[in-house]
Amino acid sequence: MDHSRRDFLKTAGCLTIGFSLTQLPFAGAALPLQELPGNLKEYSNIDAWLEVLANGSVRVFTGKLELGQGIRTAVAQVAAEELELPMEKVTVALAETEVTPNENYTAGSTSIETSAMSVRYAAAAARERLLELAGAQLNLAPEQLHLDNGKATTKNGDRSVSFAQILDGHKLSGEIKPGVKLKPKKDYTTSGTPVHRDDVPQMVKGAPVYVQDLHFPGMVHARIVRPPAYDAQLQHYNEQAVKAKVPGLLKVVANGSFLGVIATREYDAVQAQQLLSQHTEWSKGTPLAGSHNLAEHLASLPVKSETVREKGQAISSPTLQARYFKPYIMHGATGPSCAVALYNEQQQLQVWTHSQGVYPLREALQQLLQLPAERIHVKGVPGSGCYGHNGADDVAAEAALLAMALPGKPIRLQWSRQDEHGWEPYGSAMLMDLAATLDDKGKITHWQYALRSDTHGARPGGQAANLLPGRYIAKPFKPEGGGYAGGARRNSEPYYNIPNQQIVAHAFQGPLRTSSLRSLGAFANVFAIECFIDELAEKAQQDAFAFRLAHLDDERAIAVLQKLKTMLPPAPAASGTAVGIAFARYKNSGAYCAVAAQVHIKSDYSIQVQKMWAVVDAGEIINPDGVKNQTEGGMVQACSWTIREQVTFDEQHVTSRDWISYPILSIKQSPEVEVALIPRPDAEPLGAGEAVQGPSGAAIVNAVYRASGKRIRHLPILPEKLKG
């Protein structure tokens, strides 16, 4: 895991392809450069994306990190397809500074659309160049050859040369041009077929696959002593009280209000953390507001407003008005955030992290530590997961600070469950106000939507202020507030045909720290819109399917709804049991997704989500298993958000610090799930990893209404909301 690219080249018998990660835009392109996908315009050399090895295999580079979404498998599939290789001959190197392209963050369901498609073009360009060189050796035109399992072979198979022979004494170099010839999709044998992920068996066996599993010779362990409140300041600590009781303590690191301990064993570090916490004094901190009635508090906060859409006339006499609310929710990663950092004798910092953006993290560390970028190397290692910005960047920055205080030792820092729940950046609470007018034919003529939200994007992005320890060191970096505003308005525009629309986004700064969580604002926006659509359908006295279809003209949107309808069983006869539906197109430009949920209301008013169905159109699908897995997991996660999860806090800090105070859906409580895909191999691939979140929540809420007669507009749907 700690091999550099240079070490790999020395030991693997690799034949390189004109290595250059920084390229000038190439000249003489037949088509506009922007027609190339992803980051190919910044990294236009083949070797930035793959290496051909002497043994006939290929190593592919992606700037994306494996988060459990299966990107490693999908990227390998497209490379194997274009280079006519079996899957076992393709390995994928994940995000690492100075090794892989800088593809920013693994986020927004864009990895297939960008990274996998970049690799497809790079592999196709490599194929063309390999055939050209092989043809020169065999005195044949490239068109008379094809690649086959690490060799270039004549059509009749009577002559061939291996990759090693092709490249002997040569470096394969060249640009990836828009005119590169891709393999015809009708000839695909690997891409578009189900391929099982080879990392899943390792996870099941408990093999070391995560950053939490890393171990280095001489590695020591660390923990952070946390303040009682966000802005509490360190007043005093008694180091001697800890040294006397923890002989394994190596060092106490204090930098402003950043306080950490380093010990020989992990247990020693935990003991030292607990003891030092008892012998530390902090300032009180500013009280947090809104814990008793969060929705009311958020509605009272000052806002910065932005018009998202203004089309036609404003609403005058609405047929229906409603307010919806989503609380703060957390990533709740199964494995608490972890990192390893080493500051060596050459004053080089190495960081192993499950950050979703190794290059942006390096930029932020450069500012935090006042180190030049060339002295910081960041390697991405899968973590025991989450989708979004949890504590991965924070723990990496904390480990780096500690490593610089104790050079020469690999320092492993793992957060506790209390750290993870109490200090991660949450998904923002949101308020959504809707109003609409129906005409006498039951069609929506006017639509008004106003959302309120904190930021959904405060990733490091080169800013030390967005790293938790950056706020506590002696010369702190102050967060400016705001962040990525587009995350809040994601899917705030309905995908339906409505002639008059007014949509406004109001940004507030709330009491808790927030950033990116799977689907960002789309979960709350689709929940509100699709529940409101169901309410309007009832007002119009129309079936939920028919009402939606009447407001759609996109054939692909219509197709997922029609397919979903065919999958559903007859209406449940049992009392307190019903089915609800919802639809959305993620970002209004990504995958299409329709969801149905069957719920049962128990005698104690608790909700059992019995089964969920989803239909997904993600355009060209590289790995059907991967899309199904993402959708199944997304349905279960959204189910948990909808009926169970909410961050709680008091005037001092977050109080939901464990799995009891922040309960998530257990395996036994999870619904049965069924996913159908509508493959469109000739269409562009669309990101599908976050498409199901919003429709899932709305479908459950709509089903609860049909089963109980109670229209729940404030999440989560706790039993007490159904009583009375």
Side-chain angles (χ1 to χ4, degrees):
M1 285 185 174
D2 60 348
H3 280 359
S4 68
R5 185 175 189 180
R6 182 175 299 172
D7 293 334
F8 182 86
L9 297 179
K10 287 179 180 178
T11 59
C14 172
L15 296 162
T16 61
I17 309 174
F19 172 66
S20 176
L21 276 178
T22 55
Q23 294 295 317
L24 294 173
F26 62 82
L31 295 171
L33 183 64
Q34 60 266 27
E35 292 198 9
L36 289 170
N39 289 78
L40 284 174
K41 47 186 170 290
E42 290 87 8
Y43 301 101
S44 58
N45 262 25
I46 297 168
D47 82 306
W49 301 94
L50 61 88
E51 292 175 331
V52 179
L53 307 182
N55 62 5
S57 64
V58 167
R59 187 178 191 229
V60 177
F61 301 105
T62 174
K64 303 297 185 179
L65 191 64
E66 178 62 63
L67 312 176
Q69 81 279 39
I71 186 61
R72 194 201 306 258
T73 303
V75 163
Q77 282 181 260
V78 299
E81 192 68 72
E82 293 293 338
L83 291 165
E84 303 291 354
L85 288 169
M87 282 287 288
E88 59 267 21
K89 284 198 172 183
V90 180
T91 59
V92 178
L94 300 172
E96 182 175 359
T97 58
E98 298 164 350
V99 174
T100 65
N102 178 1
E103 295 191 83
N104 202 18
Y105 287 107
T106 307
S109 296
T110 60
S111 294
I112 293 295
E113 298 175 27
T114 57
S115 192
M117 293 303 100
S118 296
V119 169
R120 172 178 281 174
Y121 275 75
R127 182 190 67 243
E128 288 187 352
R129 188 68 178 128
L130 286 166
L131 292 175
E132 182 182 335
L133 289 174
Q137 289 187 19
L138 298 172
N139 293 318
L140 295 171
E143 294 78 15
Q144 295 177 272
L145 302 169
H146 69 277
L147 295 186
D148 180 23
N149 197 13
K151 297 181 294 184
T153 305
T154 56
K155 300 292 184 179
N156 60 12
D158 63 338
R159 300 171 67 190
S160 66
V161 286
S162 68
F163 283 177
Q165 292 170 321
I166 293 170
L167 296 175
D168 185 28
H170 297 273
K171 284 188 177 181
L172 219 161
S173 61
E175 297 161 330
I176 306 164
K177 298 182 179 181
V180 64
K181 186 177 179 181
L182 299 176
K183 183 178 179 179
K185 292 182 180 181
K186 65 181 178 60
D187 297 332
Y188 281 179
T189 58
T190 302
S191 187
T193 62
V195 174
H196 294 308
R197 288 169 45 189
D198 58 9
D199 55 344
V200 172
Q202 301 304 311
M203 297 175 194
V204 173
K205 292 187 292 187
V209 296
Y210 296 130
V211 67
Q212 288 89 348
D213 300 318
L214 286 178
H215 183 80
F216 297 94
M219 187 172 74
V220 296
H221 300 267
R223 286 292 189 274
I224 304 300
V225 178
R226 304 286 174 194
Y230 278 133
D231 60 352
Q233 299 294 306
L234 179 62
Q235 304 292 307
H236 173 75
Y237 67 95
N238 185 347
E239 183 176 344
Q240 296 304 316
V242 182
K243 282 185 174 180
K245 295 185 177 180
V246 184
L249 179 67
L250 296 174
K251 190 163 189 175
V252 172
V253 179
N255 182 345
S257 292
F258 173 77
L259 186 61
V261 295
I262 306 172
T264 54
R265 300 183 306 156
E266 188 171 17
Y267 180 64
D268 292 333
V270 173
Q271 278 191 309
Q273 176 197 41
Q274 293 173 348
L275 280 170
L276 192 56
S277 295
Q278 297 168 12
H279 293 86
T280 301
E281 296 177 7
W282 303 85
S283 65
K284 190 174 182 181
T286 306
L288 299 176
S291 60
H292 299 299
N293 191 332
L294 182 58
E296 185 177 300
H297 173 69
L298 299 185
S300 71
L301 292 175
V303 296
K304 291 182 180 179
S305 301
E306 175 189 10
T307 298
V308 178
R309 174 180 287 188
E310 191 166 6
K311 172 187 172 185
Q313 300 174 339
I315 198 165
S316 57
S317 54
T319 304
L320 184 66
Q321 300 181 76
R323 167 172 284 185
Y324 298 84
F325 169 74
K326 187 215 89 173
Y328 291 102
I329 52 178
M330 62 175 65
H331 298 81
T334 305
S337 296
C338 181
V340 179
L342 170 65
Y343 189 62
N344 63 26
E345 292 77 6
Q346 292 75 41
Q347 297 184 323
Q348 296 286 324
L349 176 67
Q350 294 180 312
V351 180
W352 292 262
T353 172
H354 54 120
S355 168
Q356 295 179 7
V358 294
Y359 281 95
L361 174 59
R362 184 175 70 171
E363 292 175 19
L365 290 175
Q366 181 181 353
Q367 186 183 72
L368 176 75
L369 306 171
Q370 297 297 293
L371 281 178
E374 58 268 21
R375 286 173 54 193
I376 304 173
H377 185 84
V378 182
K379 180 174 175 60
V381 184
S384 181
C386 85
Y387 295 148
H389 175 201
N390 70 337
D393 297 284
D394 299 325
V395 74
E398 291 170 342
L401 281 165
L402 296 172
M404 293 186 68
L406 189 65
K409 293 281 189 181
I411 294 179
R412 179 182 183 273
L413 173 61
Q414 179 166 309
W415 280 11
S416 66
R417 175 55 53 196
Q418 290 70 33
D419 286 333
E420 188 76 28
H421 276 26
W423 291 91
E424 65 146 275
Y426 309 107
S428 179
M430 293 179 64
L431 278 176
M432 293 72 63
D433 289 299
L434 293 96
T437 302
L438 294 172
D439 64 16
D440 55 4
K441 296 181 181 179
K443 296 291 290 289
I444 306 171
T445 60
H446 295 75
W447 181 274
Q448 182 175 290
Y449 187 80
L451 69 95
R452 289 174 178 262
S453 177
D454 206 333
T455 182
H456 289 261
R459 295 179 184 270
Q463 299 296 315
N466 286 342
L467 295 169
L468 190 62
R471 307 178 183 192
Y472 296 100
I473 59 176
K475 294 182 179 179
F477 296 85
K478 289 190 175 182
E480 297 177 357
Y484 174 49
R489 62 174 185 263
R490 183 171 293 177
N491 278 98
S492 61
E493 302 174 62
Y495 201 65
Y496 300 103
N497 296 324
I498 303 171
N500 302 286
Q501 298 182 36
Q502 280 75 43
I503 302 168
V504 181
H506 304 292
F508 60 74
Q509 190 166 346
L512 302 185
R513 184 186 181 210
T514 63
S515 192
S516 306
L517 175 58
R518 191 177 190 181
S519 80
L520 282 66
F523 172 70
N525 287 323
V526 175
F527 149 65
I529 290 170
E530 284 296 295
C531 288
F532 196 62
I533 287 289
D534 240 43
E535 294 192 53
L536 288 170
E538 186 177 40
K539 282 281 186 182
Q541 298 182 340
Q542 293 184 26
D543 169 77
F545 277 104
F547 187 76
R548 287 171 170 81
L549 292 170
H551 290 85
L552 288 168
D553 58 13
D554 186 330
E555 292 181 359
R556 294 170 71 173
I558 292 168
V560 294
L561 278 164
Q562 289 177 332
K563 175 64 177 177
L564 180 68
K565 190 172 184 179
T566 67
M567 294 170 64
L568 300 184
S575 176
T577 304
V579 173
I581 68 165
F583 159 80
R585 185 181 183 189
Y586 186 52
K587 300 181 186 175
N588 285 2
S589 60
Y592 300 80
C593 184
V595 176
Q598 179 170 302
V599 307
H600 174 68
I601 311 299
K602 297 182 179 180
S603 58
D604 62 356
Y605 297 98
S606 63
I607 299 167
Q608 178 188 7
V609 182
Q610 297 174 328
K611 185 169 182 177
M612 298 181 72
W613 300 261
V615 180
V616 177
D617 173 356
E620 181 195 351
I621 296 172
I622 306 301
N623 187 354
D625 272 4
V627 176
K628 284 187 176 182
N629 293 343
Q630 288 298 287
T631 305
E632 291 166 350
M635 284 193 283
V636 174
Q637 183 181 41
C639 178
S640 186
W641 288 352
T642 304
I643 68 175
R644 304 209 72 175
E645 297 183 38
Q646 61 179 334
V647 176
T648 58
F649 60 99
D650 57 21
E651 289 189 353
Q652 189 175 50
H653 198 62
V654 172
T655 55
S656 45
R657 304 286 288 273
D658 52 37
W659 294 122
I660 296 174
S661 52
Y662 190 87
I664 62 173
L665 215 60
S666 69
I667 292 175
K668 288 184 178 180
Q669 295 164 333
S670 298
E672 180 185 351
V673 292
E674 182 179 343
V675 178
L677 305 180
I678 299 180
R680 298 187 184 272
D682 295 326
E684 293 296 317
L686 301 172
E690 299 173 304
V692 77
Q693 305 298 115
S696 293
I700 291 168
V701 176
N702 288 335
V704 167
Y705 171 71
R706 295 175 183 276
S708 68
K710 297 282 186 180
R711 173 56 69 178
I712 305 300
R713 299 191 179 105
H714 283 214
L715 298 181
I717 316 176
L718 301 177
E720 52 265 30
K721 295 180 181 179
L722 298 177
K723 295 179 181 178

